[in-house]
Amino acid sequence: MPKTLQVLLAAISADQIIATCGDPATPITAPVVESSREVEPGGLFVARRGQSADGHDFIPDAIAAGAAAIIGESEQPNLPVPYVQVKNAGQALGQLAAAWHDFPSRKLVVIGVTGTDGKTTTCHLLHSILQRARGIKPGYISTISADFGAETAPTGLHVTTPSAPRIQAYLAKMVDAGLTHCILEMTSHGLAQGRLSGVDIDVAVLTNVMHEHLDYHGSWEDYRAAKAIMFQMLESSWRKPGVCKVSVLNADDQSLACFAAIPADRAVTFSIENPSDFRASDTAFAPKGARFRLAGQDLTMQLLGGFNIANALAAISGARSLGIGWGAIKAGIAAVKFIPGRMERIDEGQDFIAMVDFAHTPNALKRALEAGRALLKPGKRVIAVFGSAGLRDIEKRRMMAQTSAQLADMTILTAEDPRTESLDAILAMMAAGCRSEGGVEGETFIRIPDRGEAIHRACQIALPDDLVMACGKGHEQSMCFGATEHPWDDREALRSALQGAPLNTLPTARVNRRRR
C-alpha cells in the first residue's frame, strides 16, 4: 500500500489526534523524522518538546527542507503543508515510524530488557544463546551497538536507547536481513520519552531496579514506573502466532511484586537468594570466570562476578521462556569472554590487574568492587578511579563515594562528564561522601580532576598483584565538558597509563599542562 499521511495516521489511536489540517491523502515518500536536519523531501516531520529544545521551533526549517507534512502538539495555523495536532508527539513518533517501515517488530520475536544494572550484559548473553539455537537468527540493539546478523553499527556516544525512528529503521533492517529475533535494551529514559513506542514486544526481562536517574524521573517510584512501561507494553503489543507474552522477573529484587502484578500470559522468575523458577546454586568463582548449577544443569561462564551470574540467570530465563534448549544455553553462556567496558581487563604486561567497568550507579560500583576484591590475594589492594556526572542525579555522588570508601583501599575521585557543572564542586560532594565513611583525604582518597592523570596515578601507586579499576565510562567514546563531547575511552586511557603516560584528550589535561 502506498504511504500517505492517512495511512500513517492509522497507526495512532483516534483519541490521540486533536485536529487535522490539509489533505490526508498527501503522499509520504521519505522517512518519519524528529530532527529538521534529517528531513528529506516528501518526509514527515514530528515536532516534539525535548529537554533542551522545542521541535515546534524548527517547523519552518523542516518545511524548507521539503517535509510533506508535519505532526505536532501545539496549534500551527496557516502552514503550507498538512498539519496534524496530537496529544503526545513523542508517543506518536514511534508509531508513525513503525508504520512507515511496515511495522517491523511484528515480523520479529522481540525480547525487551530493562533494569538499572546489567541490561547490556544480559542482552549480549541472550544474543549468544540465541545464536546457538536451531532455526533462530537473532539481532540486538544495545547501548553499545546494534547487530544485524552480518554487520554491526555503533549506537552513539552517550546514547542510551536510540531515537524511535532509528529503532524502527534498525528493526526493519533486521527483517530485511532475514533475522527472526531481536533483543532490545530499553532504558528508563527511552521508555518515558516514547522512544520504544511502536515496538511490539513478546518477552520483557527485568534485571533489577536500584537508585539511578532521579534527576530526570524525580522520584524512585517514578523511575520504577518508567521501567514498568515495558511490561505494560506486553498487553498492548501485536500478537504473533505461537508466541506467548512473558515477563521475566528478578525474585531477589525489591520490586518483584510491583512488576509481577502487571498482566502477562506467563511470568518467569530467577534468583540467587530467594525461591524462584530458576534459582542458581553451588556458585563458585575463579579469576577466569564462574560456575553454578541451575535446574539440574551445570553451567560455566567466563564473565567475572556474582552479579554476572544474576545477568546470566536473566538471559537464561528469557531463553527458556522461548523454548530454547539447555545445549544452546550452556554453549551461549560459556562463549561470552567479555562485554566491552564491563569488567574488561587491560593487559600491557604489568604486574597488577587493570580493569575497566561501566559501573556508574552505587549498586553497580558495589558489585564491581566486590567482584574485583574476590580476584585478589589476601593483603592486596583495590584502587578505584571514578567520578559522577554533572546535571545528573546529585545524591548518587555521595552514595558512590561512600561505597568506594567502604570497599576500596584507595579511591581516586575524578572527572566523569561534568557538563556545565563545576567539576570542583562535584568532587567536593564526593569527597564529603568519602569522609562520612571514615575516609581520610591524602591517605585513603584523593581528588585528581583530570581523568587521564587520575588513571595514570592509580597505575603508578599500584603494587604487584593489586587491582586498578577505572569505573563509570566503560565502552563510551567521549566525555562531556560544557556542551562539547571530547574524545575519551577509559580503555585507551588505561593502556596509555600502563605504558607510562596519561591520556591527554580532555580540557582538564590542557589545564594541567599549563600549570606545569
Side-chain angles (χ1 to χ4, degrees):
M1 177 182 291
K3 301 291 195 315
T4 65
L5 179 59
Q6 188 173 28
V7 167
L8 298 185
L9 289 176
I12 305 174
S13 60
D15 61 354
Q16 284 292 314
I17 298 176
I18 298 172
T20 301
C21 301
D23 184 4
T26 298
I28 305 298
T29 58
V32 177
V33 298
E34 63 175 329
S35 170
S36 60
R37 294 187 298 271
E38 296 177 356
V39 170
E40 298 177 22
L44 178 62
F45 176 66
V46 180
R48 67 181 187 89
R49 295 182 176 90
Q51 287 183 279
S52 58
D54 186 343
H56 297 82
D57 296 337
F58 299 94
I59 289 176
D61 295 334
I63 294 172
I70 309 291
I71 307 289
E73 295 176 354
S74 64
E75 293 185 10
Q76 297 287 329
N78 303 319
L79 291 184
V81 298
Y83 179 75
V84 180
Q85 185 182 358
V86 297
K87 293 178 181 178
N88 188 324
Q91 291 293 329
L93 175 62
Q95 295 159 345
L96 292 164
W100 165 256
H101 288 287
D102 295 320
F103 302 100
S105 64
R106 297 180 182 180
K107 303 165 188 173
L108 297 162
V109 175
V110 180
I111 305 100
V113 179
T114 196
T116 304
D117 306 312
K119 296 184 296 296
T120 301
T121 298
T122 299
C123 286
H124 285 254
L125 286 167
L126 184 52
H127 181 257
S128 181
I129 292 170
L130 295 185
Q131 282 182 309
R132 289 157 177 82
R134 184 175 299 174
I136 290 178
K137 296 181 179 180
Y140 66 76
I141 303 171
S142 77
T143 57
I144 296 176
S145 60
D147 176 272
F148 307 106
E151 63 175 301
T152 61
T155 50
L157 298 176
H158 272 108
V159 175
T160 53
T161 301
S163 68
R166 182 163 295 179
I167 287 175
Q168 295 298 331
Y170 284 164
L171 293 171
K173 189 169 184 177
M174 291 179 189
V175 172
D176 291 343
L179 302 190
T180 59
H181 291 60
C182 173
I183 304 143
L184 178 52
E185 184 173 340
M186 298 187 173
T187 65
S188 61
H189 284 74
L191 288 161
Q193 294 171 7
R195 288 183 242 158
L196 284 312
S197 176
V199 177
D200 293 286
I201 70 169
D202 304 286
V203 179
V205 180
L206 177 73
T207 59
N208 57 22
V209 183
M210 308 298 289
H211 184 104
E212 176 68 327
H213 296 312
L214 302 194
D215 57 294
Y216 178 81
H217 296 287
S219 70
W220 188 82
E221 290 76 15
D222 286 344
Y223 171 57
R224 184 174 64 180
K227 296 290 188 188
I229 292 171
M230 186 183 78
F231 290 84
Q232 293 159 357
M233 289 167 63
L234 281 174
E235 190 172 23
S236 60
S237 287
W238 186 267
R239 287 274 175 179
K240 301 159 193 177
V243 182
C244 290
K245 303 296 185 182
V246 182
S247 60
V248 177
L249 306 172
N250 185 349
D252 291 335
D253 191 79
Q254 59 185 324
S255 298
L256 173 64
C258 171
F259 290 92
I262 301 172
D265 294 347
R266 184 157 55 97
V268 175
T269 56
F270 65 90
S271 68
I272 297 173
E273 302 295 335
N274 295 316
S276 67
D277 298 312
F278 293 98
R279 184 180 182 183
S281 64
D282 302 320
T283 58
F285 305 98
K288 294 186 177 180
R291 65 178 185 270
F292 59 99
R293 190 164 177 80
L294 180 68
Q297 305 289 324
D298 293 313
L299 294 100
T300 60
M301 60 191 303
Q302 299 185 65
L303 300 183
L304 302 172
F307 61 90
N308 272 324
I309 289 183
N311 294 332
L313 292 173
I316 292 167
S317 301
R320 290 297 291 164
S321 76
L322 293 169
I324 306 301
W326 284 105
I329 288 172
K330 289 180 180 181
I333 292 295
V336 179
K337 295 181 179 180
F338 70 94
I339 308 298
R342 273 72 173 170
M343 298 294 285
E344 183 176 347
R345 288 199 188 213
I346 307 297
D347 189 355
E348 293 292 329
Q350 75 279 1
D351 58 4
F352 57 89
I353 301 171
M355 189 173 288
V356 169
D357 191 73
F358 190 47
H360 63 286
T361 70
N363 182 62
L365 182 63
K366 175 178 183 292
R367 299 196 305 179
L369 294 177
E370 288 175 342
R373 175 72 67 187
L375 300 175
L376 300 184
K377 300 173 183 177
K380 298 304 177 180
R381 301 177 304 161
V382 174
I383 303 168
V385 184
F386 64 95
S388 193
L391 304 183
R392 297 296 185 266
D393 191 342
I394 293 177
E395 183 66 12
K396 186 173 72 171
R397 300 169 187 175
R398 173 187 59 81
M399 296 171 67
M400 291 187 68
Q402 289 174 324
T403 296
S404 189
Q406 294 164 359
L407 298 176
D409 299 285
M410 170 61 76
T411 298
I412 302 180
L413 305 174
T414 190
E416 185 178 314
D417 300 296
R419 297 184 173 87
T420 56
E421 278 200 67
S422 162
L423 176 54
D424 288 341
I426 293 173
L427 296 181
M429 293 180 204
M430 300 185 76
C434 284
R435 285 192 292 268
S436 72
E437 290 296 325
V440 178
E441 190 154 13
E443 295 182 15
T444 62
F445 78 92
I446 56 177
R447 289 180 253 184
I448 302 180
D450 177 58
R451 194 173 180 100
E453 182 62 39
I455 292 173
H456 182 243
R457 180 76 63 85
C459 293
Q460 287 182 314
I461 64 177
L463 299 175
D465 298 321
D466 282 350
L467 167 65
V468 171
M469 183 177 286
C471 295
K473 294 294 293 177
H475 64 283
E476 291 183 341
Q477 298 293 293
S478 70
M479 192 183 303
C480 186
F481 283 77
T484 303
E485 295 282 350
H486 297 267
W488 183 261
D489 187 325
D490 263 9
R491 296 163 295 185
E492 289 185 10
L494 193 47
R495 288 190 185 96
S496 180
L498 292 170
Q499 293 166 4
L503 185 64
N504 294 321
T505 62
L506 301 176
T508 44
R510 292 192 284 273
V511 171
N512 285 345
R513 287 198 294 272
R514 287 198 296 269
R515 287 174 178 170
R516 296 187 189 114

